Amino acid sequence: MSSLSVVPKRFWQRRLARPSTFQIISTLIIAVVAVLVAYPFVRVVGGMFFEDGLPSVEPIRRAVTAPGVGELLSNSVVIVSGSGMLAVVVGSLLAWLNERTNARIAGLTDFVPLMPFILPSIALAIGWTLLLSPGAGMINVLIRAILGWFGIEIERGPFDIYTLYGMIFCYFIVLVPYVFLFVTAGLRNMPGDLEEAARISGAGAFKTFWKVTLPALKPNIAGAAVIVVWFGFAMFSIPLIIGTGAQIDVLTVRIVRLINFTYPPQTDLAVSLSLFILVIVGGAWLIQLRIMRGGLFVQVGGGKGARNSKVDLGPWCWPARIFLIGFLLISGLFPLIGLLITALNGYWSADIQWSELGFSAFQRVLENEQNLVALRNSLLLGLIAGTGIVLFSALMSTYMQKSGGGPFKRVLEAAIRVPVVVSGFVLIVGMIIAYSGAPFFLQGTFLLFVIAYMATAIPQASLISDSAAAQISKEMAEAGSISGAREGKIFSRIQLPLMAPGLVAGWTLVFVNITGDMEVAAMLASSSQPVVGFQILETYNIGRFADLAAMALMLTILTTACVAIGTILGRLLEGRSRKAT
């Protein structure tokens, strides 16, 4: 009799147990952020299916029947899918070569795949335009001069950045660092015992990579693929600079032109066109969630992992190093050289006056008070918003992975993550509508920038924190609970330190994206509240390429320092994480 009465009593005790203080605070924080992010999203997405407050298929009809929509959609899909697949393959290979093989060159190859990451995308696009423009492109001018020595005369080319292949090339360069960061974080968290066992059983280096390492990195590669699709369909500066010259239109450029460069603004059509992005990126996100919930990957914390030994590539070591250094040249150094020569020359021309190179462009940039204010604002936004976003993403990832919560937890998760599938420009329009007027009156304020970056960056940062949290076994938290630690202490002392290598990578990604952002800047910044992206766009619009190159180079120096610090810190935290497990 007593045994029968004990079971229902314990059952109801579990059912009626009060949530801990940490659970209450976590729920409140996540709920507040969910409302801030979801409110403008609902305002915009509602416009896709409602008109005058009533359900309507008219927005969908507008999207499907928009002029040139078939070519617009096909261009976007071909460019993003082509560059994205290349980026996933090359980025994963670069990460493996750098983390698991003797091809790594200490102090150099850590930064090789991150070179395009520290360049603002508009600077990279302009850098390659300066190099590969069919007429005055510096590389083309050099090649034509060399061919002229052999009696071969051509007036233009031989390369032309203003093509579909040129756009895919630039997209690919920009996207590789995101894959590299995701896969590197996974490799650093993954014990090397499985790979060591494969090599002992006779598997070669590349077979071990294909059969063991890649399957173990499923959550990281899935997260990288989603972020590649998101960034690909949110890219604005590259299709604006190169696509305009190539007469290749894509969804993002068409959307921003409908909002910013059409009078009156055709916001309804812009919102309707974003439905295509909603479907494509949403599908990628669902695939990533399916992989994460499948659980078929390595977790950290189940026992003492073997030390990660380096794979000896033998005769392939130097070809691998040449591959790493080659990517450094084409992704970072070449466009930087183009920007530097243009900045020192004072203007963009195939006729470079080497004896007259100077720093007048840098001086003009530094003497402009507006540029200094913009730089200060961007750095503050990167530090404050970036740190808050990454810490919040870590809290949300651990919160969402706990059992319980039911539909309420799923609603919170959807409210925060769903904005990842909407064009950033359209989402910002929703924020302007939602927060500019009564009762918030946030137009032109620093807080509106923070909210905007929360909406656009939390979904990206959460992909990294999800991957980091997924590699921490539940036994670690359970062991802390058994020892008497409260949930807040378990989060701060166990889960957060083990997630730290991935979170540092996420912070680096968010900080660099915010400081060099173009998309949010184009919609929210003004002369009274400038940021670096706004100043770069203004300089580009008036055609001052030397000043633009100088601004891009100075921003690159700052972001390089950030990436260097993040990389060093990530390795230090990686060592602590391994000792803890």
Side-chain angles (χ1 to χ4, degrees), residues 266-340:
Q266 298 184 33
T267 306
D268 291 344
L269 180 56
V271 171
S272 298
L273 287 175
S274 68
L275 181 62
F276 294 115
I277 300 177
L278 181 76
V279 172
I280 295 170
V281 185
W285 177 49
L286 291 175
I287 292 172
Q288 191 242 1
L289 288 180
R290 185 178 182 87
I291 292 173
M292 294 287 296
R293 289 168 180 168
L296 300 176
F297 43 84
V298 171
Q299 288 188 321
V300 176
K304 200 77 173 178
R307 184 176 181 270
N308 292 333
S309 59
K310 297 293 184 181
V311 176
D312 186 355
L313 295 179
W316 290 99
C317 179
W318 274 106
R321 288 179 174 176
I322 292 172
F323 174 65
L324 286 164
I325 296 172
F327 187 83
L328 168 68
L329 294 175
I330 67 169
S331 64
L333 290 186
F334 284 172
L336 279 175
I337 290 171
L339 291 169
L340 180 61

Side-chain angles (χ1 to χ4, degrees), residues 151-466:
I152 303 173
E153 299 291 339
I154 56 176
E155 296 183 358
R156 295 172 63 83
F159 297 109
D160 188 356
I161 195 67
Y162 296 121
T163 61
L164 182 67
Y165 301 108
M167 291 186 68
I168 291 176
F169 172 70
C170 287
Y171 269 66
F172 158 73
I173 291 174
V174 170
L175 295 175
V176 162
Y178 300 108
V179 180
F180 178 83
L181 284 174
F182 272 76
V183 177
T184 295
L187 286 168
R188 291 179 180 178
N189 269 347
M190 188 180 77
D193 48 0
L194 292 177
E195 296 166 304
E196 189 68 26
R199 288 193 292 270
I200 291 174
S201 66
F206 291 103
K207 186 175 181 180
T208 300
F209 171 72
W210 184 258
K211 295 289 187 179
V212 177
T213 308
L214 281 183
L217 293 172
K218 275 187 177 182
N220 303 87
I221 295 174
V226 173
I227 211 77
V228 159
V229 172
W230 191 94
F231 273 107
F233 277 99
M235 199 85 71
F236 171 66
S237 52
I238 290 177
L240 175 68
I241 303 299
I242 298 176
T244 301
Q247 297 183 338
I248 298 174
D249 204 3
V250 298
L251 281 167
T252 48
V253 174
R254 175 71 65 86
I255 289 170
V256 75
R257 283 176 175 164
L258 289 170
I259 295 171
N260 279 358
F261 301 103
T262 303
Y263 185 80
Q266 298 184 33
T267 306
D268 291 344
L269 180 56
V271 171
S272 298
L273 287 175
S274 68
L275 181 62
F276 294 115
I277 300 177
L278 181 76
V279 172
I280 295 170
V281 185
W285 177 49
L286 291 175
I287 292 172
Q288 191 242 1
L289 288 180
R290 185 178 182 87
I291 292 173
M292 294 287 296
R293 289 168 180 168
L296 300 176
F297 43 84
V298 171
Q299 288 188 321
V300 176
K304 200 77 173 178
R307 184 176 181 270
N308 292 333
S309 59
K310 297 293 184 181
V311 176
D312 186 355
L313 295 179
W316 290 99
C317 179
W318 274 106
R321 288 179 174 176
I322 292 172
F323 174 65
L324 286 164
I325 296 172
F327 187 83
L328 168 68
L329 294 175
I330 67 169
S331 64
L333 290 186
F334 284 172
L336 279 175
I337 290 171
L339 291 169
L340 180 61
I341 292 175
T342 301
L344 295 176
N345 197 41
Y347 54 89
W348 178 27
S349 173
D351 183 20
I352 301 171
Q353 303 297 321
W354 296 101
S355 61
E356 299 179 7
L357 299 183
F359 295 93
S360 58
F362 294 92
Q363 185 176 354
R364 287 195 301 270
V365 169
L366 292 174
E367 289 177 349
N368 188 320
E369 183 67 24
Q370 193 82 343
N371 291 336
L372 298 180
V373 173
L375 180 60
R376 182 200 64 195
N377 288 342
S378 292
L379 290 176
L380 282 175
L381 281 167
L383 289 170
I384 296 172
T387 302
I389 286 167
V390 170
L391 290 176
F392 173 81
S393 298
L395 176 67
M396 187 177 69
S397 294
T398 55
Y399 178 86
M400 294 300 172
Q401 288 188 8
K402 293 178 182 177
S403 59
F408 177 69
K409 181 184 286 189
R410 290 193 291 271
V411 169
L412 288 180
E413 181 179 20
I416 293 173
R417 297 179 191 262
V418 164
V420 77
V421 303
V422 178
S423 168
F425 297 105
V426 177
L427 185 60
I428 300 307
V429 170
M431 290 193 171
I432 294 173
I433 296 171
Y435 297 128
S436 294
F440 302 103
F441 299 108
L442 296 179
Q443 180 64 34
T445 64
F446 193 84
L447 181 57
L448 185 57
F449 272 101
V450 174
I451 296 173
Y453 286 123
M454 284 170 53
T456 55
I458 283 178
Q460 306 156 24
S462 67
L463 291 173
I464 298 178
S465 60
D466 282 351

